Amino acid sequence: MKIGLVISGGDVSGMNNFLFQIDRMTDAEIVIFDGGINGLIENRCKDISRRDLVDLSISSVPIISSGRKEDKCKRSDYERIAKNIRLKKLDCLIMGGGDGSFQFLKMLSTYDINCYGVGMTIDNDITGNSYTIGFSTACEQVISEVEKLRNTGRGLPGRIFMIELLGGYCGELTLQAALKSNADIALIPEVPWDIDTLAGRIKQKIDSQNSVIILCSEGYTKEYTPGFQGAIDTMIAKLEHKIGIRIRKTILGYGLRSGKPTGEEIIQGAILAEEVVRCIKSGLTNKVIVMNNNNKAIPIDLENSDKRLVDEDSNLYKLAKINNLI
Protein backbone atom coordinates (compact mmCIF):
# COMPACT_ATOMS: atom_id res chain seq x y z
CA MET A 1 0.00 0.00 0.00
CA LYS A 2 1.14 3.54 -0.76
CA ILE A 3 -0.37 6.52 1.10
CA GLY A 4 -0.07 10.21 0.27
CA LEU A 5 -0.27 12.82 3.04
CA VAL A 6 -0.68 16.58 2.74
CA ILE A 7 -1.48 19.44 5.14
CA SER A 8 -3.57 22.35 3.87
CA GLY A 9 -4.15 25.73 5.51
CA GLY A 10 -2.41 26.77 8.71
CA ASP A 11 0.33 24.70 10.29
CA VAL A 12 -0.35 23.12 13.68
CA SER A 13 1.57 21.36 16.39
CA GLY A 14 0.85 17.64 16.29
CA MET A 15 1.25 17.28 12.50
CA ASN A 16 4.41 15.18 12.89
CA ASN A 17 2.81 12.87 15.41
CA PHE A 18 -0.16 12.17 13.14
CA LEU A 19 2.15 11.24 10.26
CA PHE A 20 4.13 8.98 12.58
CA GLN A 21 0.98 7.28 13.87
CA ILE A 22 -0.24 6.56 10.32
CA ASP A 23 3.15 5.09 9.44
CA ARG A 24 3.45 2.82 12.45
CA MET A 25 -0.13 1.53 12.15
CA THR A 26 0.38 0.43 8.55
CA ASP A 27 3.01 -1.28 6.42
CA ALA A 28 2.44 1.37 3.79
CA GLU A 29 4.96 3.48 1.95
CA ILE A 30 4.40 7.11 2.97
CA VAL A 31 4.67 9.95 0.46
CA ILE A 32 4.26 13.52 1.68
CA PHE A 33 3.41 16.61 -0.37
CA ASP A 34 4.85 19.93 0.76
CA GLY A 35 2.90 23.18 0.34
CA GLY A 36 -0.72 22.07 0.65
CA ILE A 37 -2.93 22.08 -2.44
CA ASN A 38 -0.29 23.96 -4.43
CA GLY A 39 2.13 21.17 -3.58
CA LEU A 40 -0.30 18.62 -4.99
CA ILE A 41 -0.64 20.61 -8.21
CA GLU A 42 3.11 21.07 -8.59
CA ASN A 43 3.84 17.48 -7.47
CA ARG A 44 6.15 18.62 -4.67
CA CYS A 45 6.36 15.19 -3.09
CA LYS A 46 9.02 13.31 -1.19
CA ASP A 47 9.37 10.02 0.60
CA ILE A 48 9.77 10.10 4.36
CA SER A 49 11.69 7.54 6.39
CA ARG A 50 10.55 5.80 9.55
CA ARG A 51 13.76 7.09 11.14
CA ASP A 52 12.73 10.73 10.63
CA LEU A 53 9.15 10.12 11.65
CA VAL A 54 10.20 8.55 14.95
CA ASP A 55 12.81 11.19 15.79
CA LEU A 56 10.50 14.15 15.07
CA SER A 57 7.17 12.67 16.19
CA ILE A 58 6.90 14.87 19.30
CA SER A 59 8.96 17.76 17.98
CA SER A 60 7.54 21.17 17.09
CA VAL A 61 9.86 21.32 14.06
CA PRO A 62 7.60 20.42 11.10
CA ILE A 63 8.40 17.45 8.87
CA ILE A 64 5.95 18.70 6.28
CA SER A 65 5.16 22.22 5.13
CA SER A 66 1.57 23.39 4.83
CA GLY A 67 0.19 26.05 2.51
CA ARG A 68 -2.87 27.92 1.28
CA LYS A 69 -4.20 28.32 -2.25
CA GLU A 70 -5.43 31.87 -2.65
CA ASP A 71 -7.80 31.18 -5.54
CA LYS A 72 -10.19 28.29 -6.10
CA CYS A 73 -9.01 25.20 -7.92
CA LYS A 74 -9.95 24.95 -11.58
CA ARG A 75 -10.89 21.75 -13.34
CA SER A 76 -7.40 21.64 -14.84
CA ASP A 77 -5.95 21.78 -11.30
CA TYR A 78 -8.00 18.79 -10.17
CA GLU A 79 -7.07 16.86 -13.31
CA ARG A 80 -3.41 17.57 -12.76
CA ILE A 81 -3.57 16.54 -9.10
CA ALA A 82 -5.37 13.31 -9.97
CA LYS A 83 -2.75 12.56 -12.63
CA ASN A 84 0.10 13.19 -10.19
CA ILE A 85 -1.48 10.88 -7.61
CA ARG A 86 -1.97 8.11 -10.17
CA LEU A 87 1.58 8.44 -11.47
CA LYS A 88 2.83 7.97 -7.91
CA LYS A 89 0.53 4.91 -7.66
CA LEU A 90 -0.99 6.13 -4.41
CA ASP A 91 -3.85 4.10 -3.01
CA CYS A 92 -5.29 7.10 -1.15
CA LEU A 93 -4.69 10.67 -0.06
CA ILE A 94 -4.99 11.87 3.54
CA MET A 95 -5.33 15.62 4.03
CA GLY A 96 -5.15 17.48 7.32
CA GLY A 97 -6.86 20.88 7.46
CA GLY A 98 -10.13 22.68 7.99
CA ASP A 99 -13.43 23.00 6.19
CA GLY A 100 -11.93 24.55 3.05
CA SER A 101 -9.59 21.59 2.75
CA PHE A 102 -12.47 19.15 3.02
CA GLN A 103 -14.49 20.96 0.38
CA PHE A 104 -11.46 20.53 -1.88
CA LEU A 105 -11.33 16.80 -1.07
CA LYS A 106 -15.02 16.46 -1.85
CA MET A 107 -14.37 17.66 -5.41
CA LEU A 108 -11.13 15.69 -5.78
CA SER A 109 -12.96 12.49 -4.85
CA THR A 110 -15.10 12.86 -8.00
CA TYR A 111 -11.89 12.26 -9.99
CA ASP A 112 -11.73 8.70 -8.63
CA ILE A 113 -9.24 9.49 -5.87
CA ASN A 114 -9.77 7.86 -2.46
CA CYS A 115 -9.72 10.77 0.01
CA TYR A 116 -9.64 11.09 3.78
CA GLY A 117 -9.74 14.31 5.81
CA VAL A 118 -8.61 14.92 9.39
CA GLY A 119 -9.24 18.15 11.32
CA MET A 120 -5.96 19.99 11.84
CA THR A 121 -6.78 23.49 13.00
CA ILE A 122 -6.32 25.30 16.29
CA ASP A 123 -9.76 26.86 15.71
CA ASN A 124 -11.51 23.52 16.43
CA ASP A 125 -14.38 24.62 14.18
CA ILE A 126 -15.26 21.47 12.20
CA THR A 127 -18.83 20.11 12.31
CA GLY A 128 -19.11 16.94 14.41
CA ASN A 129 -15.68 17.46 15.95
CA SER A 130 -15.02 17.97 19.64
CA TYR A 131 -11.27 18.04 18.98
CA THR A 132 -8.95 18.94 16.11
CA ILE A 133 -5.21 18.36 15.98
CA GLY A 134 -3.33 21.43 17.21
CA PHE A 135 -6.06 22.59 19.58
CA SER A 136 -4.66 21.24 22.84
CA THR A 137 -1.21 22.72 22.24
CA ALA A 138 -2.70 26.11 21.35
CA CYS A 139 -4.66 26.10 24.62
CA GLU A 140 -1.47 25.23 26.49
CA GLN A 141 0.26 28.25 24.95
CA VAL A 142 -2.52 30.46 26.30
CA ILE A 143 -2.30 28.92 29.76
CA SER A 144 1.42 29.71 29.84
CA GLU A 145 0.82 33.33 28.83
CA VAL A 146 -1.95 33.81 31.40
CA GLU A 147 0.29 32.41 34.14
CA LYS A 148 3.01 34.96 33.29
CA LEU A 149 0.52 37.82 33.29
CA ARG A 150 -0.91 36.72 36.64
CA ASN A 151 2.63 36.84 38.04
CA THR A 152 3.30 40.35 36.78
CA GLY A 153 -0.13 41.41 38.04
CA ARG A 154 0.78 40.11 41.46
CA GLY A 155 4.09 41.98 41.38
CA LEU A 156 2.33 45.20 40.40
CA PRO A 157 -1.37 44.90 41.37
CA GLY A 158 -4.25 46.68 39.70
CA ARG A 159 -3.48 45.71 36.12
CA ILE A 160 -5.94 44.69 33.43
CA PHE A 161 -4.67 42.51 30.60
CA MET A 162 -6.35 41.65 27.31
CA ILE A 163 -5.02 38.86 25.10
CA GLU A 164 -6.12 38.40 21.49
CA LEU A 165 -6.26 34.83 20.19
CA LEU A 166 -6.78 33.28 16.77
CA GLY A 167 -9.97 31.37 15.98
CA GLY A 168 -11.60 33.16 13.07
CA TYR A 169 -15.35 33.40 13.33
CA CYS A 170 -15.52 30.60 15.91
CA GLY A 171 -14.87 31.32 19.60
CA GLU A 172 -14.09 27.74 20.65
CA LEU A 173 -10.37 28.37 21.20
CA THR A 174 -11.01 31.49 23.29
CA LEU A 175 -13.80 29.82 25.28
CA GLN A 176 -11.87 26.67 26.19
CA ALA A 177 -8.59 28.52 26.75
CA ALA A 178 -10.39 30.85 29.18
CA LEU A 179 -11.77 27.88 31.10
CA LYS A 180 -8.44 26.05 31.17
CA SER A 181 -6.38 29.08 32.20
CA ASN A 182 -8.85 30.48 34.77
CA ALA A 183 -9.04 33.74 32.84
CA ASP A 184 -11.70 36.18 34.01
CA ILE A 185 -13.61 37.06 30.84
CA ALA A 186 -13.91 35.58 27.33
CA LEU A 187 -14.96 37.70 24.36
CA ILE A 188 -16.24 35.34 21.67
CA PRO A 189 -18.14 36.18 18.46
CA GLU A 190 -21.11 34.03 19.40
CA VAL A 191 -21.85 35.91 22.63
CA PRO A 192 -21.18 39.67 22.37
CA TRP A 193 -21.12 41.61 25.63
CA ASP A 194 -23.00 44.83 26.27
CA ILE A 195 -20.12 47.28 26.64
CA ASP A 196 -21.40 48.85 29.87
CA THR A 197 -22.03 45.46 31.43
CA LEU A 198 -18.53 44.36 30.44
CA ALA A 199 -16.96 47.51 31.90
CA GLY A 200 -18.89 47.00 35.12
CA ARG A 201 -17.75 43.36 35.36
CA ILE A 202 -14.10 44.38 34.90
CA LYS A 203 -14.30 47.08 37.61
CA GLN A 204 -15.99 44.65 39.97
CA LYS A 205 -13.23 42.08 39.51
CA ILE A 206 -10.29 44.48 39.81
CA ASP A 207 -11.62 45.57 43.21
CA SER A 208 -11.10 42.06 44.58
CA GLN A 209 -8.17 40.73 42.50
CA ASN A 210 -4.59 41.70 41.71
CA SER A 211 -5.29 41.48 38.00
CA VAL A 212 -8.05 40.93 35.47
CA ILE A 213 -7.32 38.84 32.37
CA ILE A 214 -9.59 39.03 29.34
CA LEU A 215 -9.25 36.67 26.37
CA CYS A 216 -10.53 38.12 23.10
CA SER A 217 -11.17 36.17 19.92
CA GLU A 218 -9.76 37.80 16.79
CA GLY A 219 -13.24 37.55 15.26
CA TYR A 220 -15.03 39.28 18.11
CA THR A 221 -15.42 42.66 16.39
CA LYS A 222 -17.25 43.44 13.17
CA GLU A 223 -14.18 44.54 11.23
CA TYR A 224 -12.73 41.02 11.27
CA THR A 225 -11.76 39.35 8.00
CA PRO A 226 -9.33 36.40 7.69
CA GLY A 227 -5.83 37.62 8.50
CA PHE A 228 -7.01 40.68 10.43
CA GLN A 229 -5.50 41.31 13.86
CA GLY A 230 -6.46 44.10 16.20
CA ALA A 231 -9.85 43.29 17.69
CA ILE A 232 -8.42 44.19 21.09
CA ASP A 233 -7.55 47.69 19.86
CA THR A 234 -11.23 48.26 19.14
CA MET A 235 -12.28 46.83 22.49
CA ILE A 236 -9.67 48.74 24.48
CA ALA A 237 -10.77 52.00 22.86
CA LYS A 238 -14.34 51.30 23.96
CA LEU A 239 -13.46 50.20 27.50
CA GLU A 240 -10.60 52.27 28.90
CA HIS A 241 -12.52 55.51 29.40
CA LYS A 242 -15.34 53.57 31.09
CA ILE A 243 -13.14 51.78 33.62
CA GLY A 244 -10.51 54.47 34.09
CA ILE A 245 -7.61 52.03 34.01
CA ARG A 246 -5.15 51.42 31.20
CA ILE A 247 -5.53 48.00 29.55
CA ARG A 248 -2.32 46.20 28.62
CA LYS A 249 -2.59 44.21 25.40
CA THR A 250 -1.00 41.05 24.04
CA ILE A 251 -1.61 39.51 20.60
CA LEU A 252 -0.51 35.88 20.68
CA GLY A 253 -1.31 35.33 17.02
CA TYR A 254 0.50 32.76 14.94
CA GLY A 255 2.74 31.49 17.71
CA LEU A 256 -0.32 29.57 18.92
CA ARG A 257 0.19 27.16 16.04
CA SER A 258 3.55 25.95 17.30
CA GLY A 259 5.04 24.61 20.50
CA LYS A 260 5.85 21.22 21.94
CA PRO A 261 2.73 19.05 21.48
CA THR A 262 0.89 18.18 24.66
CA GLY A 263 0.23 14.65 25.82
CA GLU A 264 -3.41 15.06 24.86
CA GLU A 265 -2.27 16.12 21.38
CA ILE A 266 -0.30 12.89 20.97
CA ILE A 267 -3.13 10.65 22.20
CA GLN A 268 -5.85 12.34 20.14
CA GLY A 269 -3.67 12.18 17.04
CA ALA A 270 -3.18 8.46 17.60
CA ILE A 271 -6.93 7.90 18.01
CA LEU A 272 -7.69 9.80 14.80
CA ALA A 273 -4.93 8.00 12.90
CA GLU A 274 -6.22 4.61 14.04
CA GLU A 275 -9.67 5.38 12.63
CA VAL A 276 -8.23 6.61 9.33
CA VAL A 277 -6.27 3.36 9.01
CA ARG A 278 -9.36 1.32 9.88
CA CYS A 279 -11.35 3.09 7.16
CA ILE A 280 -8.61 2.50 4.60
CA LYS A 281 -8.37 -1.19 5.42
CA SER A 282 -12.18 -1.55 5.47
CA GLY A 283 -12.60 0.10 2.08
CA LEU A 284 -14.54 3.08 3.48
CA THR A 285 -13.53 5.94 1.21
CA ASN A 286 -14.09 9.69 1.00
CA LYS A 287 -14.52 10.30 4.72
CA VAL A 288 -13.66 12.99 7.22
CA ILE A 289 -12.57 11.50 10.54
CA VAL A 290 -13.92 13.46 13.50
CA MET A 291 -13.72 13.10 17.27
CA ASN A 292 -17.20 12.97 18.77
CA ASN A 293 -18.26 14.10 22.24
CA ASN A 294 -17.50 10.64 23.66
CA ASN A 295 -13.86 10.99 22.57
CA LYS A 296 -14.37 8.39 19.87
CA ALA A 297 -13.09 8.88 16.34
CA ILE A 298 -15.80 8.27 13.74
CA PRO A 299 -16.03 8.74 9.96
CA ILE A 300 -18.52 11.10 8.34
CA ASP A 301 -19.10 11.63 4.64
CA LEU A 302 -17.20 14.45 2.98
CA GLU A 303 -20.55 15.95 1.95
CA ASN A 304 -21.49 16.43 5.60
CA SER A 305 -18.38 18.39 6.58
CA ASP A 306 -18.80 22.07 7.37
CA LYS A 307 -17.62 24.83 9.70
CA ARG A 308 -19.23 25.21 13.11
CA LEU A 309 -19.51 27.81 15.84
CA VAL A 310 -19.49 27.35 19.61
CA ASP A 311 -22.21 24.93 20.66
CA GLU A 312 -24.42 26.75 23.14
CA ASP A 313 -25.80 23.40 24.38
CA SER A 314 -22.36 22.05 25.26
CA ASN A 315 -21.26 21.48 28.85
CA LEU A 316 -18.25 23.74 28.35
CA TYR A 317 -20.45 26.62 27.19
CA LYS A 318 -22.70 26.12 30.23
CA LEU A 319 -19.66 26.00 32.53
CA ALA A 320 -18.39 29.28 31.07
CA LYS A 321 -21.81 30.82 31.69
CA ILE A 322 -21.87 29.61 35.29
CA ASN A 323 -18.42 31.12 35.88
CA ASN A 324 -19.46 34.41 34.22
CA LEU A 325 -16.75 34.15 31.56
CA ILE A 326 -19.26 34.96 28.83
Side-chain angles (χ1 to χ4, degrees):
M1 182 182 293
K2 205 170 180 181
I3 298 174
L5 288 130
V6 62
I7 311 299
S8 177
D11 57 307
V12 298
S13 184
M15 295 188 302
N16 292 0
N17 170 65
F18 178 77
L19 301 182
F20 167 68
Q21 300 292 349
I22 291 290
D23 181 71
R24 78 168 176 177
M25 293 179 187
T26 67
D27 294 322
E29 180 181 346
I30 304 295
V31 177
I32 65 175
F33 290 85
D34 278 327
I37 293 172
N38 288 323
L40 290 170
I41 295 171
E42 298 164 13
N43 204 23
R44 282 188 260 145
C45 61
K46 60 186 180 185
D47 297 331
I48 188 76
S49 70
R50 169 64 66 89
R51 190 180 303 276
D52 286 338
L53 287 167
V54 172
D55 289 348
L56 296 172
S57 64
I58 58 172
S59 171
S60 58
V61 178
I63 291 174
I64 183 172
S65 66
S66 184
R68 297 187 189 277
K69 194 174 189 307
E70 297 302 324
D71 55 339
K72 289 187 177 181
C73 282
K74 306 179 184 68
R75 179 175 179 177
S76 59
D77 293 326
Y78 286 108
E79 289 173 346
R80 188 172 178 182
I81 292 169
K83 181 180 179 181
N84 289 338
I85 289 173
R86 292 191 185 101
L87 286 174
K88 294 296 288 185
K89 297 182 179 179
L90 301 181
D91 295 285
C92 63
L93 179 72
I94 303 172
M95 174 176 276
D99 176 62
S101 304
F102 303 152
Q103 297 307 314
F104 161 81
L105 285 183
K106 178 181 175 180
M107 180 59 68
L108 183 62
S109 68
T110 65
Y111 289 80
D112 201 27
I113 301 297
N114 295 331
C115 299
Y116 301 91
V118 175
M120 288 191 189
T121 167
I122 67 170
D123 300 346
N124 196 10
D125 60 349
I126 306 298
T127 294
N129 243 330
S130 63
Y131 186 87
T132 54
I133 293 172
F135 184 71
S136 173
T137 304
C139 287
E140 198 69 26
Q141 301 279 65
V142 180
I143 294 170
S144 177
E145 186 68 19
V146 169
E147 179 187 19
K148 288 183 283 187
L149 292 177
R150 288 292 190 202
N151 290 342
T152 194
R154 187 172 179 84
L156 188 58
R159 289 192 170 185
I160 300 169
F161 302 100
M162 188 178 292
I163 309 172
E164 182 175 311
L165 309 183
L166 299 181
Y169 296 101
C170 177
E172 191 71 28
L173 174 61
T174 300
L175 179 73
Q176 289 204 35
L179 285 167
K180 293 174 180 179
S181 67
N182 288 334
D184 298 297
I185 293 169
L187 306 181
I188 62 175
E190 295 87 344
V191 191
W193 282 78
D194 171 78
I195 197 68
D196 290 321
T197 302
L198 177 59
R201 182 65 52 81
I202 294 170
K203 288 193 288 186
Q204 181 184 39
K205 285 184 174 294
I206 202 63
D207 286 341
S208 60
Q209 300 178 187
N210 288 322
S211 63
V212 173
I213 295 182
I214 306 159
L215 302 189
C216 178
S217 171
E218 64 178 352
Y220 183 73
T221 56
K222 291 182 179 179
E223 73 260 47
Y224 175 76
T225 56
F228 168 82
Q229 289 184 296
I232 56 176
D233 292 325
T234 299
M235 294 308 300
I236 289 171
K238 291 181 177 180
L239 283 168
E240 277 189 335
H241 71 280
K242 290 181 178 291
I243 60 178
I245 302 173
R246 178 186 165 196
I247 300 175
R248 272 79 173 180
K249 69 176 183 179
T250 301
I251 298 180
L252 289 184
Y254 299 100
L256 289 169
R257 291 180 178 164
S258 187
K260 183 178 179 180
T262 65
E264 181 184 19
E265 198 81 80
I266 302 300
I267 293 296
Q268 300 287 11
I271 293 171
L272 288 164
E274 180 186 31
E275 182 61 16
V276 174
V277 171
R278 187 193 72 81
C279 288
I280 292 172
K281 291 180 176 179
S282 302
L284 296 174
T285 60
N286 305 325
K287 302 292 183 183
V288 174
I289 311 304
V290 301
M291 194 75 74
N292 69 13
N293 289 329
N294 295 319
N295 203 42
K296 179 176 174 58
I298 59 171
I300 64 172
D301 292 335
L302 279 170
E303 290 81 1
N304 295 330
S305 176
D306 199 359
K307 278 185 175 290
R308 72 168 177 86
L309 301 178
V310 167
D311 180 6
E312 296 185 9
D313 292 323
S314 71
N315 289 331
L316 291 176
Y317 179 90
K318 293 173 183 175
L319 181 60
K321 273 289 190 183
I322 289 170
N323 285 304
N324 297 314
L325 290 173
I326 55 177

